[in-house]
Amino acid sequence: PCPRLPRLLSWLTAACALSPSLSPLFWGVCGSMRAPALCVMLAVALLGEAGGSHVCARADLGAGLADCTALSLSCTMMPDAGKSEAAGCAMTQQELSELFQGPLCSSNALTALDLRGHTLGANATAALAAGLASCTALESLDVSDTRLGDAGLATLLSALPASLNRLILAHNGLTDESARAIRKALGEKNTGSLKPLQIRVLDLSWNALSSSGARALGALLASADCVVESLYLDWNGLRDRGVKEIGEGLKSNTHLKRLSLTFNGIKDSGVTGLSAGLRQNAVLEVLNLSNNGISPAADRKWRAALANKPPTTSSAASEKTGGTSDTPREQQGRTTSSADSVEDDVDVDEISFDED
């Protein structure tokens, strides 16, 4: 009944991924193609929500980009992805300079830029930073898997527009040095009249952060200037000492609602420190501690702390008999932990960044 539906849904999926303003409910249903009637209604709703948004891709680079509200140059969305990665995913300094010299940002229409998978060298990163300074309406920037490194991130942080509220930095080989730079950019008043960046979604997963970096991020969370609402730290090396630092930051944090700490080598000792912070935090709704080798007892401890109440004998007895002890707050923001199903103690002794 709708032969163009797959193509339409493909566009909608890209739009959902690129536009932070789209409803999370639509984002969750966007990839489903099982019910054509539902998808048609979804298309109408999304188009209305987008309000005339224009998602551009690599094929549009030869045309005018003045009307682009989102530009996706992600290697994973390129038609020839996987065939010629070196040729298709390495943007040169000249290419980036030419991109921003055009009308891309002059019309203040661009709100989302996706450069996932591009290998950004030092010169290309400098060109990107220079261009971002003119994108005064940009809200979302994805530079995951671009091999930025600490030096590249420092270059970008100095040029990010004040309008930015979503920053994706996953899989970039970032170390504790980057964590300290992020703390300064997001949680400290800068020189002159500039305010700290108002980043609300920060993804630092798949990097090389340790307990020292966690200390900087904990200080960031404790800062009154930090407005981060979603923080992703999966697949780092925080371990028990690092998660305790995060817990310290949570004690006075008033903005963070979602926190993900999977695959960080966290054990029961770390959960104890984190729980101390959770008991004094009134805003966190979703916490993911899966794949960390946490015991069932420690699992109950952090869940009770998230609900702002200490573990009780009755709740433990209920769990032993197969009952549940979810509190209203836990039911509202369903947290996930696979502690009861973890067979082996997952440890994070070493993180490797393969060349491919």
Side-chain angles (χ1 to χ4, degrees), residues 14-320:
C16 285
L18 286 169
S19 178
S21 64
L22 294 179
S23 166
L25 175 61
F26 292 150
W27 197 101
V29 184
C30 195
S32 174
M33 296 185 184
R34 297 178 181 177
L38 175 62
C39 288
V40 170
M41 290 187 290
L42 175 64
V44 175
L46 277 172
L47 290 173
E49 178 79 10
S53 63
H54 183 196
V55 180
C56 299
R58 179 175 288 269
D60 301 307
L61 292 182
L65 299 176
D67 296 330
C68 295
T69 56
L71 176 60
S72 174
L73 299 178
S74 167
C75 293
T76 59
M77 297 181 66
M78 290 169 52
D80 59 343
K83 296 182 181 180
S84 179
E85 182 177 355
C89 293
M91 297 196 74
T92 66
Q93 178 182 5
Q94 180 178 354
E95 288 175 325
L96 281 170
S97 297
E98 292 176 352
L99 177 66
F100 289 101
Q101 285 174 358
L104 182 62
C105 294
S106 59
S107 63
N108 288 330
L110 188 70
T111 60
L113 178 61
D114 184 353
L115 294 173
R116 282 175 296 166
H118 289 271
T119 302
L120 298 178
N123 292 335
T125 302
L128 174 61
L132 288 175
S134 63
C135 296
T136 56
L138 191 69
E139 299 176 3
S140 175
L141 176 63
D142 189 339
V143 286
S144 56
D145 198 21
T146 56
R147 302 181 184 271
L148 272 179
D150 296 330
L153 178 61
T155 300
L156 281 187
L157 287 176
S158 64
L160 293 179
S163 57
L164 197 72
N165 58 55
R166 179 178 180 268
L167 182 58
I168 310 301
L169 297 168
H171 204 273
N172 273 305
L174 304 179
T175 70
D176 299 333
E177 180 181 343
S178 286
R180 290 187 284 270
I182 289 173
R183 174 199 173 185
K184 184 175 181 180
L186 275 63
E188 296 182 6
K189 293 186 181 301
N190 299 312
T191 305
S193 60
L194 295 179
K195 296 181 179 179
L197 291 171
Q198 302 293 290
I199 303 296
R200 299 188 181 278
V201 177
L202 179 61
D203 188 346
L204 289 168
S205 56
W206 283 90
N207 280 295
L209 306 181
S210 70
S211 59
S212 177
R215 185 180 304 114
L217 294 177
L220 169 64
L221 293 176
S223 170
D225 295 314
C226 175
V227 296
V228 175
E229 297 178 355
S230 298
L231 178 60
Y232 302 94
L233 296 171
D234 311 283
W235 286 97
N236 279 282
L238 304 189
R239 304 176 74 87
D240 288 344
R241 184 180 300 177
V243 78
K244 289 177 182 178
E245 298 289 352
I246 298 296
E248 285 297 315
L250 289 176
K251 290 181 178 179
S252 56
N253 181 270
T254 58
H255 286 86
L256 192 68
K257 297 180 180 179
R258 290 168 291 277
L259 175 62
S260 189
L261 295 165
T262 66
F263 292 100
N264 269 285
I266 302 168
K267 305 295 188 265
D268 291 6
S269 174
V271 171
T272 299
L274 180 64
S275 298
L278 291 174
R279 281 191 289 269
Q280 298 184 42
N281 182 282
V283 294
L284 191 68
E285 298 174 356
V286 179
L287 174 61
N288 191 345
L289 284 172
S290 63
N291 295 290
N292 276 299
I294 300 171
S295 71
D299 182 65
R300 291 192 296 270
K301 178 182 292 186
W302 74 258
R303 289 180 182 275
L306 183 62
N308 284 335
K309 73 170 187 178
T312 62
T313 304
S314 59
S315 64
S318 174
E319 188 161 340
K320 287 181 180 179

